[in-house]
DNA sequence: TTGCTATTTGAACGCCTGTTCAGTTAGCTT
DNA sequence: AAGCTAACTGAACAGGCGTTCAAATAGCAA
C-alpha cells in the first residue's frame, strides 16, 4: 500500500493541526510523539512531514495562529464599540471569556508550552502576548486618566485581570451550574469592583498605593 | 569506581528532590530525563532508584509536599489573625503572594504538571487544591454574610482571586521596578475593590448577579 | 583484620524518539 | 493507454528513554 484512496493533502494538513492541538493540550508537547499524532490523523508518522517541517514548527504554528486570531478578533470587536473606558472594559471582559472558552485547547497550549518553544519562537509569541496585554492596559490607562478608574498600577492590573479571566477556562465545563452569560456577569461585577478600587469602604481614596 | 568518598544518602536524597524540582519547573516533567537529573545530582542514573521508586513518584512527592506546606503555613498564619472577613482576606492576599514568590518552581510544577500525574495521584493533589480554595471561599462567605463583601458568587470569586494572585509568579522578578511590599499593596487594592463590587459607581448595588 | 552495610557504578534490557527516504499507489491529464 | 504528480507506506537511522542489577568500593563496627 502507498497512497490511500480518497486521500487529500489539504484535509490531512487540517487534521494534522487539529490532532496536534488536541493531543498537545491533553498530554503536553513533550509527552506526545509524532507517531501518536499520526495514528490520530490516520496515517504513518512519515507522512506528517509532508505537512510540517518538524514537531517544533507544529507547536509554534498552533500558538502563533491562536495569538493572531485573538488579536484580530479583538480589533474587530473594539472597532464597533463607542463609549468610555468602562464600556470598553466591559466589552473586553465579555470578549476574553467568550473567545477563550471556545478554544480551550489553544489557550491551554499557549500558556503551558511556552517553555518548549525555541528561543526565537518564544520571542515571537511573547511579543504578541505583550501586545494583547497592552490593549487592555490602554483601556485601563484611559479609565484612570478620565477618573473613571482608580487603579494603583495599570500594568499589574492588566496582568491580574487577564489572569483571572483566563483562569475561567481551567474550570469551565459547558454543563455546569452557571451559563456562559451568568459567568460573564459575575466576572464583570468583580472587574468593575477591581478597577474602582476600595468600593463602598474607601471610595475614591486616591491613586497612590500606600 | 563504585561508592564515592564522602557519599551520604540523606544528602543525595535531598539533592535529588532539589534537582528534580528545578528541572521539572524549567523544562517540564516529560522533557526531563532521569539521566539529566542524575547529572545534576552528580551520580549515575541507576543510583537515583535508591531514593525514589520511579519518576512519577518524584513528581507526585514534589507536588504533595508543596500542597501540605501551603495548607499548613496558611493554618498557622490564620491562627494568629483576629478580625473580620476583610482583615482575614487581606492576610490571605499577602500570605499567598509571599508564599508563592519564594517557591516559584514548586508552584509552576503544581499548576503545569497536573496532567502528568497518574489518575490516583491527580485525585490526591486535586483534593488538597480544593481544600485550599475552600479556605479562601470560607472567608468570602463570611464577608458576604456580614455584609462586608458584596460578591455575586463566592466560589467563582475564590477561583478568580487565586488565579490573579498566583499569576504574580509568572512575571515577578526580584529585581523589578516594584518591591514585594508594593506588589502586595497593589494587589490588596484590587482585591478589596473586587470583593466590594461596583465601587463608587454602584456601591451596594446588591448581591444578585443581574 | 575481617565483616557488614551503605552507596554508587556501569552495563544492559526492551522499547520509544524525531526524522529521512526509496518505493508504491490513486487519480488526474494527455 | 501512458505519463505524471500528489499522497502515502514501511523500513531504517542514530540515539534516548525508564528501569534493573551484579559488581565494586567507602566507611564503620567488631
Amino acid at each position: 500500500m502507498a497512497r490511500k484512496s480518497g486521500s487529500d493533502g489539504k484535509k490531512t494538513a487540517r487534521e494534522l493541526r487539529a490532532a496536534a492541538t488536541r493531543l498537545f493540550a491533553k498530554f503536553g508537547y513533550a509527552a506526545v510523539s509524532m507517531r501518536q499524532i499520526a495514528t490520530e490523523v490516520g496515517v504513518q508518522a512519515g507522512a506528517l512531514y509532508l505537512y510540517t517541517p518538524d514537531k517544533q514548527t507544529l507547536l509554534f504554528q498552533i500558538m502563533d495562529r491562536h495569538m493572531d486570531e485573538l488579536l484580530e478578533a479583538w480589533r474587530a470587536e473594539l472597532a464597533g464599540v463607542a463609549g468610555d473606558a468602562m464600556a470598553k472594559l466591559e466589552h473586553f471582559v465579555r470578549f476574553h471569556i467568550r473567545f477563550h472558552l471556545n478554544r480551550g485547547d489553544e489557550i491551554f497550549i499557549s500558556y503551558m508550552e511556552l517553555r518548549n518553544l525555541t528561543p526565537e519562537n518564544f520571542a515571537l509569541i511573547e511579543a504578541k502576548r505583550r501586545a494583547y496585554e497592552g490593549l487592555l492596559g490602554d483601556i485601563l490607562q484611559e479609565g484612570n486618566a478620565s477618573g473613571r478608574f482608580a487603579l494603583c498600577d495599570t500594568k499589574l492590573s492588566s496582568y491580574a485581570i487577564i489572569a483571572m479571566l483566563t483562569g475561567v477556562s481551567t474550570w469551565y465545563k459547558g454543563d455546569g451550574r452557571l451559563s456562559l452569560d451568568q459567568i460573564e456577569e459575575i466576572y464583570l461585577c468583580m472587574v468593575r469592583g477591581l478597577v474602582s478600587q476600595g468600593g463602598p469602604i474607601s471610595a475614591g481614596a486616591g491613586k497612590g498605593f500606600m
Side-chain angles (χ1 to χ4, degrees), chain A:
Chain A
M1 252 174 300
R3 176 164 187 174
K4 290 152 79 178
S5 85
S7 65
D8 174 4
K10 308 251 192 240
K11 191 179 149 216
T12 305
R14 257 198 326 274
E15 284 175 5
L16 165 57
R17 258 81 192 170
T21 302
R22 209 163 38 238
L23 291 173
F24 287 168
K26 192 163 187 181
F27 303 110
Y29 173 77
V32 172
S33 73
M34 292 300 272
R35 283 173 182 81
Q36 223 174 120
I37 298 172
T39 302
E40 194 94 340
V41 174
V43 297
Q44 294 298 314
L48 301 184
Y49 289 85
L50 277 128
Y51 308 103
T52 185
D54 48 41
K55 195 187 174 192
Q56 165 71 206
T57 303
L58 209 45
L59 175 64
F60 171 70
Q61 286 178 347
I62 290 169
M63 289 196 185
D64 195 51
R65 175 188 291 202
H66 174 70
M67 290 310 298
D68 282 344
E69 287 178 353
L70 177 63
L71 285 165
E72 179 47 41
W74 172 240
R75 273 193 263 267
E77 194 93 5
L78 188 61
V81 181
D84 65 353
M86 184 62 91
K88 286 183 193 162
L89 178 62
E90 290 182 2
H91 226 84
F92 183 89
V93 170
R94 289 188 196 279
F95 166 79
H96 189 97
I97 292 177
R98 205 169 283 268
F99 187 87
H100 284 78
L101 283 192
N102 289 329
R103 299 161 195 251
D105 286 347
E106 284 85 351
I107 226 276
F108 214 70
I109 293 171
S110 292
Y111 273 78
M112 304 285 256
E113 303 296 352
L114 282 170
R115 60 186 165 187
N116 285 309
L117 291 171
T118 60
E120 309 85 52
N121 286 342
F122 175 80
L124 292 168
I125 298 295
E126 190 64 6
K128 292 185 180 178
R129 174 188 303 270
R130 267 200 300 270
Y132 184 67
E133 287 167 353
L135 293 174
L136 172 57
D138 290 343
I139 296 174
L140 298 182
Q141 273 190 310
E142 182 189 331
N144 251 10
S146 71
R148 197 90 166 78
F149 302 163
L151 290 164
C152 311
D153 189 297
T154 55
K155 200 163 159 60
L156 259 60
S157 296
S158 66
Y159 294 163
I161 292 173
I162 287 178
M164 68 181 263
L165 295 181
T166 303
V168 175
S169 60
T170 65
W171 52 261
Y172 177 76
K173 307 267 173 272
D175 55 352
R177 63 181 233 273
L178 294 167
S179 72
L180 185 48
D181 284 330
Q182 290 174 315
I183 292 169
E184 281 181 22
E185 287 304 324
I186 294 171
Y187 273 81
L188 261 178
C189 287
M190 292 193 282
V191 171
R192 270 193 289 254
L194 188 154
V195 298
S196 304
Q197 189 200 16
I201 294 101
S202 59
K207 292 187 181 182
F209 56 75
M210 287 301 277

